[in-house]
Amino acid sequence: MSPNQDRQPFWATQPNELFKRLRTTADGLTTEESKIRLAELGPNLLKKKRRTDPIALFVSQFRSPIILILLIAAAISFFLADRQDAVIILVIVFASGFLGFLQERRAADAVAGLTAMVQIKATVLRDGNSTAVPVEEIVPGDVILLAAGDSIPGDCLIFESKDLFVDEAALTGETYPAEKAVGMVPSDSPLAKRSNALFMGTHVVSGMAKAVVVLTGRGTEFGKVSDRLRLRPPETEFERGVRRFGFFLMEVTLMLVVAIFAINVYLSRPVLNSFLFSLALAVGLTPQLLPAIISINLAHGARKMAESQVIVKRLSSIENFGSMNVLCSDKTGTLTQGVVELRSALDNHGDESEKVLLYAYINSYFQTGFTNPIDVAIRKRRPSDLSGVIKLDEVPYDFVRKRLSVLVEQNGKRFIITKGAFEKVLGVCSSAEDHRGERVELAGAQEKMHMIFEDLGTHGYRVLGIAYRNMGEETSIAKDSEREMTFLGFLVFYDPPKRELAETIRELSELGITLKVITGDNRLVASVVVQEVGIKDPIVVTGSELSSMSDEALFSRVDKVDVFAEVEPNQKERIIRALQKTKNVVGYMGDGINDASALHAADVGISVDSAVDVAKDAADIVLLKKDLGVLLEGTREGRTTFANTLKYVFMATSANFGNMFSMAGASLFLSFLPLLPKQVLLTNLLTDFPETTIATDTVDPEMVREPRRWDIGFIRRFMLVFGIISSVFDFLMFAALVFLLNASVIQFRTAWLLESVISASVIVLVIRTRRPFFRSLPAKQLLIATVTIIGVALLLPYALPGSVFDFEALPVSFPLVIGLIVVLYVLVAEFAKRMFYRSSWAR
């Protein structure tokens, strides 16, 4: 349905001609035709929706270089040495990969279901009626209706518009919004000069328009350069931690593999067996399931957060949610109830005025910009009969002017009515109206007007100004029509604070989260509201003060400020960046057009389902309810997810490091390998199984009381302490087997595998909590999995699979010694844990 290449480009084509080419009309397509085009052209996406291909996901489980080398070595062994052992090694590696595949597939399916709950929609004309449809269902020929805050879903030609400004920074790099209007431009015009066209990937800042969609998906300008523009999202704190942890393990593993292989070859042991043994140890040391465990934890956290009405769009942001220690939020609808009431309409002497109320009602009734609670409140207050009033024109609200004007005609007289922020309206006035309805010089009335404004602000009221001017014979207005106006009076609004908010803020504080309010509202109003919700003696910085403040001065003050009031949209991102520079993990909660850059800049961008498209699209997390109380539960879930991820890291590194180090050491002193390569891999597979249930584990309350971050130094210290303890008991087991029990080679390997699996499974219950293990019960799934694996390990020597792995049944004395050593290991580990967390090593 797109225009042929040999025709004029759409921006150089008349709308009527383009309607013919696209086989559409100004009333849009029919529903039936849109379905046909969607089936023919496919969804409006820059790239196909990523469906989790089972085969690709399974193959991805074997991307680790160590696993690939092991598979190659096993294949060589199949042709050169023991085929049965090679097959067993391959089966175990594939079984381990299949375990990871099952977990990641389930996690991916869960996340896909959750993200489908939050869709960006566009308003289109279908069958002549306006309707909201998902952006991916937009097709060429659709007519879209645009207002402030809307994302543009395709490349379009405008055929109706009013004061339309569009942010095209993603395509042109221009800082300021571009003005758009109906018209014709030359076919060779560069993208930035196509003033009659709209492009996918941009959004409306102010004004309104009707446009016909010409190109969608990869056919758009944005689609053509999407590979270049699609920058990787900034690395999160959690992702940085995982990457650093991966490098740390790689260094340890590489040194271990090279050293063990070299020593075994030096001792004249078979080269291939030594190589396989070294690789098997490397696999044992590497937490293979870490990617799967992270995916499982994040998906489980996302499901739990969804139960609290929090939808996660970017999974890694869950961990940042848990690490967040500063939350920046707007005032309206978050601290307040968001149900604005018009309390008074006052003249310039502070008295109730019917004229002020009438003019305010006319302005709100006829404005056609984006819906806002202020206009709703005015319309509720005075349902007047305006049958004698005719609207001629309008200048919509924008965030620079902070005013909204309409031109109306009544009884043959034409006049403009402007309402907006008090200072902004006052700034375009040259006179004021007194209580007799006569105009007076503004200078003489200003002092009284400012007194009224400040008095109302100190009582927590939001105050707008309203003004008017006779327009003679004018039939249209523009922004420069807002001049030499007469200030008429004040509109006084009240948005009461949420009753339960003081308790919520106290709970946020107990979780180590500092709330900072960033609002465009007057400093007096903002100060009163935050005091009413429990922030005593707030430190307030205004936008004008921020403008005169250097970055260094802002860095030194930003942590101490409670409220940033009267801020401009571009100042929000600067505040976020300053907080991040002072080592904070920052969340930003916003739902407006002017919040997009701050949402992108924040470590955790939080919006609501009712937000404008551009805010919802920029957010990492979307709330189905605009309430800080919802964030409380989300934060706890984020920290629970982070805690469970770290549990796996602690278990895998300490137990694996201890066991693998012990086997490496034992291989130097014994005349045989302590475990065959296939037995090492079996040990790793069995000990991994209980850890796949860690996402469901309970977390002690103290683990979610404060923000937590990755600390590689702490993990290294933990691994050394508990790895060494594990090794001590491993060598104790070696000594018992050699000197006390006089074990044969097969008995040695059988008993050592039993001790390794049982001790690694039981120690999970110790390491998972900072409390004594008997005072912190694990989740049922973890407990069942642990008991099951211990049972499997005990039965293995006596069952048929045991002979395949070269095990044999053990005399009764062996299990008794194993049991005694495991009990001693648990007791010593419990004592060491207590001392470790009390020492400076845990800090």
Side-chain angles (χ1 to χ4, degrees), residues 782-835:
L782 176 59
L783 190 59
I784 291 172
T786 301
V787 171
T788 301
I789 288 302
I790 292 173
V792 169
L794 289 171
L795 291 174
L796 196 59
Y798 307 96
L800 179 62
S803 60
V804 174
F805 287 95
D806 295 335
F807 296 140
E808 68 177 33
L810 296 172
V812 175
S813 55
F814 280 71
L816 291 176
V817 171
I818 291 171
L820 178 62
I821 289 175
V822 169
V823 169
L824 285 173
Y825 175 38
V826 168
L827 292 175
V828 171
E830 185 61 52
F831 176 76
K833 180 180 72 176
R834 185 177 180 184
M835 300 306 295

Side-chain angles (χ1 to χ4, degrees), residues 241 244-245 248 650 709-721 836 840-843:
R244 291 199 302 268
F245 176 62
F248 165 63
F650 293 155
R709 303 187 190 183
W710 277 91
D711 184 344
I712 300 302
F714 178 87
I715 294 171
R716 185 186 296 115
R717 293 189 295 273
F718 191 96
M719 185 176 86
L720 285 172
V721 169
F836 179 83
S840 59
W841 275 41
R843 299 183 185 95

Side-chain angles (χ1 to χ4, degrees), residues 239-288:
E239 289 167 333
R240 277 193 295 275
V242 172
R243 179 171 51 80
R244 291 199 302 268
F245 176 62
F247 284 135
F248 165 63
L249 279 182
M250 198 188 315
E251 292 169 7
V252 174
T253 303
L254 189 61
M255 287 190 295
L256 190 66
V257 168
V258 172
I260 293 170
F261 176 66
I263 292 169
N264 274 277
V265 170
Y266 177 76
L267 294 174
S268 301
R269 290 173 184 164
V271 174
L272 188 57
N273 271 350
S274 298
F275 186 52
L276 283 170
F277 179 71
S278 301
L279 288 176
L281 285 182
V283 172
L285 179 60
T286 307
Q288 286 171 260

Side-chain angles (χ1 to χ4, degrees), residues 2 11 45 91 156 185 247 250 309 422 483 492 576 602 624 671 673 683 714 805 840:
S2 58
W11 57 87
L45 298 169
V91 168
C156 317
V185 297
F247 284 135
M250 198 188 315
Q309 298 185 300
F422 170 71
R483 57 186 169 79
V492 183
I576 301 295
L624 301 183
S671 59
L673 291 175
T683 302
F714 178 87
F805 287 95
S840 59

Side-chain angles (χ1 to χ4, degrees), residues 114-131:
L114 289 174
T115 51
M117 295 174 66
V118 183
Q119 287 186 316
I120 305 298
K121 294 188 175 183
T123 303
V124 303
L125 292 177
R126 293 269 171 92
D127 303 314
N129 300 314
S130 66
T131 183

Side-chain angles (χ1 to χ4, degrees), residues 609-659:
D609 196 33
S610 57
V612 298
D613 289 349
V614 66
K616 197 160 61 171
D617 194 42
D620 302 306
I621 288 172
V622 176
L623 310 183
L624 301 183
K625 181 181 178 185
K626 191 173 184 180
D627 186 355
L628 287 180
V630 172
L631 281 182
L632 273 174
E633 288 307 311
T635 302
R636 290 191 182 101
E637 283 302 330
R639 292 183 184 177
T640 297
T641 302
F642 187 73
N644 280 335
T645 303
L646 284 183
K647 283 180 192 178
Y648 174 76
V649 170
F650 293 155
M651 295 168 193
T653 52
S654 58
N656 289 9
F657 177 77
N659 286 341

